[in-house]
Amino acid sequence: MQQKVKKGVKMVKQELKEREEVETDINIVKTWIQETKEYLLSPDVEVDTQLQELQSLLGEVTTHRQAVEKMAEQQQNKYLGLYTILPSELSLHLAEVGLALVNVQDQVKETQQIKTLNREFGQKIQGIANELNAILSKLKKKTTDIAQAKLEQKILGEELDSCNIKLLELDASVQDFAEQNAPLAKQLANRIGKLTALHQQTIQQAEHRAAKLSQADSYLEEYNEMLEFILKWIEKANILVHGSITWNSSSQLRDQFKAYQTMLDESGEIHSDLEAMTERIEYLASVYCTEGMSQQVLELGRRTEELQQVIKVRLPNLQDAAKDMKKFEVELRALQAALEQAQATLTSPELGHLSLKEQLSHRQHLLSEMESLKPKVQAVQVCQSALRIPEEVVTSLPMCHSALRLQEEASRLQHTAIQQCNIMQASATPTHQLL
């Protein structure tokens, strides 16, 4: 009897020990279930990392379910062997933990599905954002070929339309997703709102660039027309100012003065043209490579200013030289006319028909008239000295050579007239004495 009691006590202790071990195993699973539920409620885990962990949890929950099922089977078999039923308390614990594992498994799968959808939505959002940023980057690029830029602009417009369609489809999908997970859907909706704002900004940029490009051809054409006019003026002005000035006559000097004045008048529009060209550059700057154009306008302004200054300095010089040359020519013609008259009188064949006394009287009168040549010669000399022409040019002028020749001619004629008078006077004296 005593042995039976001892054996019974031993069996009870063994049963309690095994029951405790089962309870411990069940509690371990319960703890894992509680930790898993808390993890599933955590919002701060990075999506890709969480998906990996959720996949791992699916493996773990399957392992725990199999372990609990095996444990329940072992306990069932154990008590069947003892010709009794599984204790209700233990049966309840095993059933509860088994059900909890099923629920956790469903939650993990659901969370995994939601997180996968969330990641896919995030990837789509990021994909559209990347497309929009790429379009914005292209819209900011400047071109050197307007026609090509217009073709590219059309393609960018089509890409924007495609982004808009994707946005609308994505927004509709997220609204459906809100039924499964409202908090995540709200986060996604906020991101889509920002993406929509970026899309609108990109559309505005595209419209602005399209408007600029539509006017760019006419602005470039206007720029090039003004550029051509200025370059032609610079070319003509260069030829003019670097050419030699012809100082030979007042008419030539007047013609050159007119040429310089015309060139200066033509340059009157250049300043406003340069300003207009700068305005065209400012308009084109957002879509067209204008760095070289800006430098070009500065260089044109510098060259034009230099040439204008040279022309402005030369204009009064040419005008003064033309006036001085005109006076010189007038005095020279007056001297030449007087000399020609004196020469004609001195060599007139009619004098030979006069008496010696009459010829002498005529030549003496001519000689007194020739005294009036001196002021004319002096006037020529004064005008020549007053010429506002470079000294190195004066000596080579044909007019100055003519002046020197006429002065010598006046002196020769006067000398000839004096000789003739002396001869006639000498010839006439004996005759008078004889009478």
Side-chain angles (χ1 to χ4, degrees):
M1 184 65 142
Q2 190 175 4
Q3 287 181 345
K4 285 183 179 180
V5 171
K6 287 183 179 179
K7 185 178 180 182
V9 171
K10 184 177 181 182
M11 287 178 64
V12 170
K13 288 182 178 179
Q14 181 66 30
E15 171 64 19
L16 291 173
K17 181 180 180 184
E18 290 179 358
R19 180 81 64 87
E20 186 178 347
E21 289 176 353
V22 170
E23 290 291 344
T24 300
D25 290 340
I26 290 173
N27 288 332
I28 290 172
V29 174
K30 285 183 176 181
T31 301
W32 180 88
I33 291 171
Q34 183 60 35
E35 290 175 349
T36 301
K37 286 181 177 180
E38 291 174 358
Y39 172 78
L40 292 176
L41 294 173
S42 174
D44 299 326
V45 182
E46 197 273 325
V47 175
D48 288 338
T49 302
Q50 191 172 33
L51 283 172
Q52 292 175 4
E53 292 176 352
L54 287 171
Q55 188 62 37
S56 176
L57 286 175
L58 279 176
E60 290 179 25
V61 76
T62 301
T63 301
H64 284 305
R65 282 189 64 185
Q66 290 172 351
V68 169
E69 289 171 359
K70 184 178 180 181
M71 191 187 307
E73 184 180 356
Q74 287 175 345
Q75 291 300 311
Q76 188 73 36
N77 291 336
K78 171 186 170 183
Y79 285 99
L80 282 174
L82 295 173
Y83 301 101
T84 184
I85 61 173
L86 185 67
S88 60
E89 185 180 357
L90 181 58
S91 177
L92 181 61
H93 286 171
L94 286 170
E96 285 177 348
V97 77
L99 181 61
L101 283 170
V102 171
N103 291 335
V104 166
Q105 188 176 40
D106 290 341
Q107 288 177 14
V108 170
K109 287 181 178 179
E110 183 182 357
T111 303
Q112 187 181 42
Q113 182 183 12
I114 290 172
K115 295 296 182 181
T116 300
L117 280 173
N118 185 47
R119 181 176 66 174
E120 290 174 358
F121 284 135
Q123 288 173 342
K124 288 180 180 179
I125 290 171
Q126 189 59 49
I128 296 172
N130 291 340
E131 287 183 50
L132 290 174
N133 285 322
I135 293 171
L136 273 174
S137 179
K138 291 176 183 177
L139 288 172
K140 292 176 182 177
K141 286 185 178 178
K142 299 180 182 181
T143 184
T144 56
D145 186 339
I146 297 297
Q148 181 63 30
K150 286 182 176 180
L151 290 176
E152 293 172 356
Q153 183 74 15
K154 184 178 179 182
I155 294 171
L156 291 177
E158 294 170 355
E159 291 178 3
L160 269 174
D161 291 340
S162 175
C163 286
N164 186 48
I165 293 170
K166 291 177 183 178
L167 263 176
L168 293 174
E169 292 174 347
L170 185 60
D171 186 56
S173 298
V174 169
Q175 288 180 21
D176 293 339
F177 178 63
E179 297 176 2
Q180 300 178 47
N181 193 309
L184 273 179
K186 186 177 181 181
Q187 292 178 15
L188 290 169
N190 290 336
R191 292 179 66 186
I192 291 174
K194 293 179 181 179
L195 197 59
T196 302
L198 178 63
H199 181 254
Q200 289 300 317
Q201 178 190 347
T202 309
I203 288 175
Q204 291 173 1
Q205 288 281 351
E207 290 174 348
H208 175 75
R209 189 169 189 266
K212 290 282 187 179
L213 287 173
S214 67
Q215 293 291 324
D217 281 328
S218 60
Y219 273 57
L220 273 176
E221 185 177 352
E222 292 169 5
Y223 178 91
N224 289 325
E225 285 176 358
M226 290 183 281
L227 173 64
E228 183 180 5
F229 169 75
I230 295 172
L231 287 175
K232 285 183 177 178
W233 183 88
I234 288 174
E235 182 182 3
K236 291 190 295 182
N238 265 321
I239 293 172
L240 183 65
V241 301
H242 290 101
S244 299
I245 295 177
T246 303
W247 306 91
N248 292 339
S249 67
S250 61
S251 62
Q252 289 177 325
L253 286 167
R254 279 197 305 274
D255 289 343
Q256 290 171 97
F257 171 80
K258 289 177 182 178
Y260 272 78
Q261 186 62 58
T262 300
M263 194 63 64
L264 187 61
D265 292 342
E266 287 179 2
S267 73
E269 299 178 9
I270 290 179
H271 180 70
S272 59
D273 281 352
L274 289 171
E275 288 183 345
M277 289 169 77
T278 300
E279 290 175 1
R280 301 298 183 273
I281 291 171
E282 289 173 354
Y283 181 89
L284 293 167
S286 61
V287 294
Y288 196 76
C289 296
T290 58
E291 291 79 5
M293 296 167 70
S294 299
Q295 187 60 38
Q296 187 178 49
V297 169
L298 290 174
E299 180 62 19
L300 289 173
R302 185 189 64 78
R303 291 170 64 188
T304 301
E305 179 66 22
E306 289 177 355
L307 289 167
Q308 284 176 328
Q309 288 304 315
V310 173
I311 292 171
K312 287 176 181 178
V313 169
R314 288 191 182 176
L315 267 174
N317 293 342
L318 286 169
Q319 190 174 35
D320 292 342
K323 289 178 181 178
D324 293 347
M325 185 62 77
K326 182 64 178 177
K327 291 178 183 178
F328 186 40
E329 289 170 350
V330 169
E331 295 297 339
L332 206 57
R333 282 197 294 271
L335 176 60
Q336 185 173 7
L339 285 173
E340 288 175 353
Q341 180 63 38
Q343 178 72 28
T345 302
L346 196 60
T347 59
S348 174
E350 294 178 0
L351 290 177
H353 301 296
L354 299 176
S355 65
L356 190 60
K357 185 177 179 180
E358 287 175 332
Q359 290 183 38
L360 177 59
S361 175
H362 193 277
R363 279 177 169 76
Q364 286 175 338
H365 178 70
L366 177 61
L367 190 60
S368 64
E369 286 185 351
M370 289 181 70
E371 287 296 320
S372 64
L373 289 176
K374 289 182 179 180
K376 289 183 171 56
V377 169
Q378 187 176 6
V380 167
Q381 291 173 341
V382 170
C383 286
Q384 182 174 335
S385 299
L387 287 175
R388 280 169 285 188
I389 291 173
E391 292 182 8
E392 64 274 11
V393 175
V394 172
T395 54
S396 62
L397 287 177
M399 293 289 290
C400 292
H401 292 166
S402 297
L404 180 60
R405 180 180 57 77
L406 290 175
Q407 290 174 51
E408 291 174 349
E409 181 67 17
S411 179
R412 186 187 63 76
L413 277 177
Q414 192 172 25
H415 182 68
T416 300
I418 292 171
Q419 282 186 329
Q420 288 182 355
C421 283
N422 288 338
I423 291 171
M424 288 184 178
Q425 198 169 20
S427 299
T429 299
T431 306
H432 176 71
Q433 288 176 350
L434 287 172
L435 292 173

